[in-house]
Structure formats: C-alpha cells, structure tokens
Amino acid sequence: MKENRKKDNNAEPVLKGPKGQGAGFSRRVFINRGLATAGGAAILANAKSWPAWADVMEFEGTHTRMGQLAYDPETKSTWQSYVKIEVEVEEIDTEWGPTKATSASDSVMVKGKEGRGYGSPVNLSSGLAHAKLEPRLDARAGRVAVVWCGSDPDTREWSVHASYFDDQGWTGPMEVAGGMALHPDVALDPASGRAFVAYEDWKDKSIKLAAFDGKKWGTPVKISEAGYNYRPHLIVTDGSGKHGGKIAVVWDSYRDLQYDIHMRLISQDGSMGEEMRVTRCARWDSMADVIEDKDHNIWVAWVRASNELSEFNAMRNVHARFWDGERWLVPSVPEKLYNGSEFIHPTYLSDHGAKDNKELRRALGGEGREEGDGRVSWYSVCWFPTLQVDDKNRVYVFYRESDPLIFPLYSHLDYRVYEGDKWSGPRRLKLGRGANITRMMWGLSVAVKAKEIEAIWEQGFVNNPRVIKRAPRKLLAGLSGPMFHPWGEDSEETLYPGWKPRETMRPAPEMEVDGERHFLIFGDTHAHSWTSDGADPADYYYHYARDFARLDYFGLSDHDFRISNTPGIEAYIAFLPKVFSEDDFICFQGYEFTSGAKGHRCVVFEGDDKPTLPHRVFTPGKGDKVVSVGDLSGFIHKFGLSPDSRVMVSAHNMFDLGNDFTEYDESIEPLYDVMSQHIAAEKTLEEYVKEGVIGSAGSKAASVLMKLNQVVSGDAVTRDPANGWYSCWRHCLDASLPLGAYGNSDTHAVCGLGWITSGLWVRAKNRKAIFDAMFERRSIALDNLVRNFDVFNTFPFREERVKDTPVLRMDVRFWADDHFMGARPKLAEAPLLRASVKGHNPDDAVRSVTFVKNGREVHVARGGGDSSLQASWKDDHFLAGKNYYYARVEFESGNQGYSSPVFVNY
C-alpha cells in the first residue's frame, strides 16, 4: 500500500514477472484490418498507428471506465480497479489530404486505501497493446489479484491477464490463458494466498478455471460440461466451514435453447463436485453473482428475463437462493413488493395501464406474483445483481433498477437486505443531486463495510466511474436461532425451453428477378444490448435471433456513445459477429449514430473490425460542435469503405423525431426504416393520430420527450421538411430521395427480435448477396404493430396482450411493368403496377393491397378471405418526370408490409 501511494498518477510501477518490463504501449482504437484498401496505409503503417476517426473530433484527454471495488476484511483496506483511456489527436496524410485522426490507448489501473483516501494508481498492463475489458479484482489478507481480458490488435485473439500484489509488490501482467479467453473473474484464498481465475473459453464454449500459486499460473481446467457458457463469477469458501475452502463458480449456460445458471464446487487440489443446475426455468436466467454467508451457505443471485413482452417493459427481475450443502433453498419474499408512487406517472400515460393504484395493487398481488421462486424485485427492469455479506451476517443484494417513467435514462442503485427470515423492502443509494435522471447508470460494484457502503458505477455520457459512500441504514437487530427460513422445498421450476421458436416461411419463397434466381430472407440490424442501453447481454441477442426469432441475418447496433473511445468495447463489438456467423445465419457488425440534433442512423458494415464515429458528448470543453450527417459520411468514406467492403446506413425515426437529410449520401444510404417498434413511419405521427390509427397517450408523450430533446440538442427551427428535416418516409420520397423500405426493430430487449424485420430478395445467403439486395433496394419492411409506446406501462397484466401477437413473415413482390421493386427505370409511358402477396399464417387473411403513387393512395385491392392476393393497376394519369410507386399490404390481424418503390425516371 505504501509503495503505491508514493507514486504519482502518471508513474509506472516497478513490475515483476515474465512480461512486466517495458514502457506503456499506445494502441489505436480498433480499426479495419483491411485499411490498406482504403488508402494512406503506408503512411499509417510507418507511423505504427491506426486512425480511429477523422476531422470532426478534436477531443483529447482521459476518461475511465469499468470500475470495480474489493474490500479486504482482514486489513480493512479497499481496492479499486478500472480502465484508463487516453485520447490524443494527430494530423496524418491520406489520399484525401491531411486528416486529423484520434488515437486511444488504454491501461488497467488499480489503487488502494487503508484510511480515508485512495493512493496513486498503478498501471498493471504496461507493455500490452491489447484493447482491454473488465478489470475485476479480489483482496484478502493483504494480497490483491486483478484480472482482465484483452484483444490483440494484430491477431484479433483474446487473452486473459492478471497481476498479483503481496508484500513484494505487484507482478507484471501475466498471461493466464490465450486464444479466445474472455470475461474473467478472480477470487483469493485468504489462508494460502492462492488466486483462482474463471473465464469463458470461446474455442470450446466452456468455463475454465486456473490457479496461481504465488509464482506461476497453472494449466486451465474445464469445469463446465456442455452448452455455451458465459460470465463466470467465483468465490473461495471459508476453509473452516462445511465447504472446506472449495472454489464455488457460477455462470450462465445456454443449453437446449435455454439460458440457466449453473454452479460447481472445486477443491483446491483440483477434484470437482457435481455440476449443479441452479435454475431450470422457461424464462432466461443470467448475470449470476455468488457469495458465502457466515453460516457457510452459498448464495446465488441472478436476473430472470420475461419472455412475454416484446420491448422495454420486458421484465428483468432479480432472484436469489442459497445452497446449504445439500439442497437449494429459496428465501422468503420481500416485505414490500413495490413502491406505489413510482407507478403513478405510467398509470396516467398509458392507455393500457392500470386505472388507478388499486388496480395496480391487485395486479401485483394476484396471479402474476410468483411466490417461492426467490424473486427479489417486482415488475421492473433490473441489471447487475451484486451480493455482499456484512459482519452481522446480513446478506445484501444490490442491483440497478430502471425507473418506469424514463427508461433507461432514469436509473436507481437499489438494494435489499436479508435478515430476520425475510428480505427488507427496497432501499436506495442516492447517486447525488440530479444524477439519477441526468445520467444513465451501467455497471456497478459495491463494498459493504462495518460502518459504510461504498459503491462505484459508470455514468452514461461521462463514462467516469463515480464513488459514493453511505452508512447502512439501521437494520433489524441480530436474531437468535436459525437466520434463514426457506420458502418451500427444493425449487421446482417450469421445464425448459420456454421460448417457443417463432414461425418462419419454409421453404424460402423463390422467384426470378431479371433472369436470376432470388429467394426471400428476413433479418434485423437494429438492436441494443446492455453494452449500450438494452436489457440483456450481447450474446443473448445472437442466440435469440438465430434460435427463436429464427432470422436469416442479424446485426447488433449499440449506441456510438457507449462504444467509441473505448478500444476494448470496440474490439468486443467486432468480435461477436465473427464468432456467431454461420452458413445459415449471417451476422454483421454495426452501431447507431446517435445525434439528437441531426437524427439517428443505423450503420451496418459488410466487413468487420470497423471503427465507430464518436458522438459529440465526448467533447467537453471543445465547444458545441454537432457531429453532422456529412461528418458521418466523410468518416465512412475515409475509414469504413473498401472495394470489397461496403457500409449501409439507414435513417431511424423515433416517434417523429426525424432526421437531417441536408447532407444525404446516396452511395451509403439506400434504405429508410419505415418500420420500428417506435412507429410505422410511412407518414408522420400527426397524420396517424388524425386518422385514428394511433391514439396512445404514451406514444404522444414519448413524442413530446423526443421533441424536448431536439430543443436541447440543436436548433429546433431547422426541423422542418422545407429545411431538409424529414420526419417520415414519405417526406424523403417526396424530396426525390431514392430510399427503399426497411424494417428495423430497435428493440432494447432480446425478446423484441423478430417482431419487426426486413425481407430481402437475395441471390444467395452470404454477406455480399445481402448487401447487394440492400443497395438494389430489393427489400420489404414488415410490421406486426407491436409498439414501444408501451414503455410507459410496466404492469404485469400487459404481458397478456403481446405474447399472443403473431410474428409475421410476408412474401411481398411488386413491379412497375417488368421492373422489380428497387429499380430505377426510364419510362415514357404509363406503367402497369402489379403486386403479389402471401402470408405465412393461413388463418390471417389479406385485407388489402394499396398502391401508392407520389405520396397518394391511388388504388386499393380488397382481399377475398385468403392469406394471399394478386393485384394490378394501370396508371392512366402518368406524366413524364420523376414518379415513385410502392405497395402497402394489410392483413386482417393488422399486420402490415411495405414494398420498396420503383423509382421512375430517377
């Protein structure tokens, strides 16, 4: 401790170990490995640096992310690890001329304290060029172990590294495992000082465990038996207790189309106990944490995902149970189920919500309440459960809980305490004046001490872990007799799997287009994981998209402001599509360009390992320059495109926020998100409300929030079609922008995948053919009217409406004469419009096919009670010049589909 405090913030520690010597390495933000094809490569290579983004940003400085805390009860010291990221700007030469490029280097840092303040931080990763993630740590009996994973910029492989502290100081960064090793956790044995690390091995999808004897790391041992296994956490049990110092490891496991929690006890000599299934539930369980109480029971807490709602209000609740050495036991439920005052606003805002709190109370206390399943939180969206035990043997579970009013911008750090045979009601750590509503809160870490709670978390837009200290509230006095009262017997849960795979069209529809065979596939390239502001881990989405939504292609598109400026996260975002892509399931890297002032765009890469343009929030003190759409286009042309790798951009409309099209670039933006879980954006929200199609108070309120955001983030005067600001697809088409129809869910919960998709007529199922179809605009937008305006309704009985909504797969074909949708023919005479429609559900008849010309509905063909329909219409009022035509399809269920237009004389 003393050695660390003598160092200044920029000093490098004296390191020991096999790779401990050498100065720090400045690594460029993760970037396209095929940069040579983009130009300027020789200069960049000679400079031994990679550009991250160009011209538009001049941010220089330091930010920190991914903080973790560990409290050493033997020495009463606290330790904190985090990633420090330093950003610099330099001018480079490219074939486009001088360009300012930003580079970022990252370091794993640790600092400790024995009294009031932390000492100077120590750089543990000196000499490693890796893009680093998740520095976790443990501290016991004066020893500290820190572990992290990193991606090599040359090989793109991931490895786990660790550093160890004892009375000899810190070791250098020692490699624990290489190849494809991610998401490690570490635990120390206070008696022997041995360190144990568990991690994901993506080579065989297993969890592996390695031990450090004070000198070297042993060979990792596989401890999981089957499936895809993720996110391990571990502890070393008390050597004097009934578990005898065994290592307890918990993790998420994807088996038999189901996520559940597993646990294994391993003796320090390497002998393994039985692999135990902690949960066996039709819902998906993840984010497990583990701790041992002073009665030597092993507690496990996790998040259980509801599969019955499609969007933000898909519940993610914390559950807990413990292993007494013989069986799993479920503690009593909390004494207070919910905070009624927090439901007042959503009750008023939602058309589907409870009429008053009496109705809400009835719903929460009725059949929806699952007594005996270990639920700790009720009908909310919760993340990151963290277990702690204090010196009075009280068990704490901390978690991030979103507020139903403004999810996810408004978050709370809540906790409950198990004492006196029950959980306490929810208690809240205040984040500071206005912090709950002005900051998004992501990962958190907590240390419970004798007289205080110390917490650290990440705040969105600032990306600096914040520390808060709070004294524990007065709790119940210690009780005599058994502290834990089990609720029922061993847990009996619904057999898996519980998420039924959604229907598809098999075999895939086929047709000839311009003499070539095409077939129809479906996908989604807009979804958010907890890497930005979604409800679930990133790997969830790939499993769900493939096995449940049964999509043909998929791309995660987390927000730029959570990705850029952080090399490790950029590397991870580029890693996932590569490891999940299969011959029958094509995955793309992407992100969402997020500008309240200029609108939102989804950016999808045909290739991988591509850079992310940073959002303007990373430029504090640099003025109010807004990143424009032109900046995005320039960046993509300089650092995203290559002859064999394209970039597809689609404008995304939230309610009726709209987008700036004054700098529209057709070469990268062929499609428009006509459908999303926010709105059907063929027309403006005002038009839909006037027609009586949308009447939700929640939708209108969300639109107001979006427009308030416009006022804050830019000049609201420019948001007018006359100024190139278009709030719907028809605005764009009327302005002669050749934008095809696209469907993107924009789901922030994994079970929203597949409700709203795009159909593409492709020549083959591969990356090139999919991008060909996108740029040829041979696309259709599909919608089943699931709307995100229910974000304001977090009531359990809402689950009944959405779960029975059929998922739509629709075969839509549209021609003007013999020109298939997306074409741009030169015509001098009136075309014959033809449409062919078929749904996959024979019980859902086609209600109508509507032909639209230049923004007007010119012909409606009514269905005859079948799930298919043929329609045609001759444009007898054709005039030379630009004209666009498309078809809108409606089924009796209310589901809709849009063809891309045929653009005449464009």
Side-chain angles (χ1 to χ4, degrees), residues 557-568:
S557 57
D558 282 323
H559 287 283
D560 47 12
F561 58 80
R562 291 296 298 171
I563 300 171
S564 59
N565 261 337
T566 307

Side-chain angles (χ1 to χ4, degrees), residues 226-503:
Y228 295 73
N229 300 280
Y230 305 98
R231 292 172 287 277
H233 289 279
L234 74 163
I235 57 170
V236 178
T237 62
D238 187 345
S240 63
K242 56 191 172 186
H243 301 297
K246 292 179 181 177
I247 302 100
V249 188
V250 297
W251 67 90
D252 312 345
S253 187
Y254 183 78
R255 307 179 190 184
D256 306 307
L257 305 183
Q258 186 61 44
Y259 270 95
D260 282 298
I261 307 302
H262 287 245
M263 185 176 85
R264 194 162 216 160
L265 296 176
I266 303 102
S267 298
Q268 295 196 24
D269 63 7
S271 59
M272 295 190 194
E274 177 186 0
E275 186 191 57
M276 292 178 278
R277 194 165 195 150
V278 181
T279 68
R280 187 186 298 268
C281 182
R283 300 180 180 184
W284 284 16
D285 297 325
S286 70
M287 307 185 214
D289 195 25
V290 61
I291 204 163
E292 184 183 30
D293 65 36
K294 297 186 183 302
D295 290 329
H296 309 297
N297 299 303
I298 297 175
W299 286 74
V300 179
W302 70 94
V303 168
R304 175 160 291 172
S306 166
N307 63 314
E308 295 172 336
L309 296 178
S310 67
E311 194 33 52
F312 289 111
N313 51 353
M315 305 308 167
R316 302 296 185 263
N317 282 295
V318 176
H319 292 243
R321 60 183 51 142
F322 63 88
W323 173 255
D324 70 353
E326 297 181 358
R327 59 179 181 167
W328 287 102
L329 298 171
V330 181
S332 301
V333 299
E335 61 187 21
K336 188 174 183 180
L337 301 184
Y338 66 99
N339 182 348
S341 64
E342 294 180 3
F343 289 88
I344 293 175
H345 293 293
T347 299
Y348 292 151
L349 288 174
S350 175
D351 288 347
H352 303 285
K355 299 302 182 183
D356 51 39
N357 276 339
K358 181 179 179 180
E359 176 73 7
L360 175 62
R361 185 183 297 274
R362 181 201 63 76
L364 287 172
E367 294 180 359
R369 174 180 170 186
E370 299 180 27
E371 296 180 340
D373 68 350
R375 184 179 292 204
V376 176
S377 62
W378 258 258
Y379 300 108
S380 57
V381 181
C382 299
W383 297 264
F384 310 118
T386 300
L387 288 165
Q388 294 279 288
V389 174
D390 68 10
D391 55 2
K392 292 184 173 60
N393 201 23
R394 295 175 292 202
V395 177
Y396 296 67
V397 58
F398 296 85
Y399 52 93
R400 172 197 169 185
E401 181 178 32
S402 68
D403 191 283
L405 179 59
I406 311 178
F407 170 88
L409 298 178
Y410 192 5
S411 299
H412 306 289
L413 178 49
D414 289 351
Y415 68 98
R416 296 178 187 260
V417 185
Y418 193 80
E419 182 187 27
D421 298 340
K422 66 173 65 175
W423 289 102
S424 72
R427 302 178 179 192
R428 183 158 294 162
L429 287 178
K430 301 297 184 181
L431 306 186
R433 183 182 298 275
N436 294 72
I437 196 167
T438 60
R439 306 295 184 201
M440 296 184 188
M441 183 178 68
W442 270 269
L444 60 94
S445 183
V446 181
V448 174
K449 310 172 188 179
K451 295 183 179 180
E452 69 176 13
I453 296 172
E454 184 168 345
I456 186 171
W457 66 90
E458 277 190 276
Q459 292 184 166
F461 304 125
V462 178
N463 287 319
N464 287 316
R466 298 300 174 100
V467 179
I468 187 169
K469 296 181 228 179
R470 290 287 185 269
R473 296 188 184 184
K474 185 176 181 181
L475 303 174
L476 298 173
L479 301 177
S480 60
M483 180 176 176
F484 301 102
H485 177 71
W487 185 281
E489 300 300 323
D490 298 307
S491 174
E492 294 292 337
E493 297 176 313
T494 307
L495 294 179
Y496 62 90
W499 294 18
K500 182 180 178 181
R502 294 172 178 173
E503 296 180 38

Side-chain angles (χ1 to χ4, degrees), residues 2 106 187 258 270 298 385 494 623 675 679 787 867:
K2 292 182 179 179
D106 56 4
Q258 186 61 44
I298 297 175
T494 307
M675 295 295 186
I679 193 172
R787 284 291 172 262
S867 61

Side-chain angles (χ1 to χ4, degrees), residues 700-720:
K700 296 175 185 176
S703 179
V704 170
L705 290 175
M706 292 299 104
K707 291 182 177 181
L708 286 174
N709 179 52
Q710 294 175 3
V711 173
V712 172
S713 58
D715 181 8
V717 176
T718 65
R719 287 168 173 77
D720 186 281

Side-chain angles (χ1 to χ4, degrees), residues 9 21 27 88 132 137 157 177 204 214 239 257 394 641 669 771 830 861 867 871 884:
N9 290 343
Q21 305 301 324
R27 185 207 186 281
E88 297 179 348
K132 304 165 189 70
L137 76 164
E157 291 190 344
D204 60 5
L257 305 183
R394 295 175 292 202
L641 293 174
E669 192 166 351
F771 259 67
S867 61
Y884 66 85

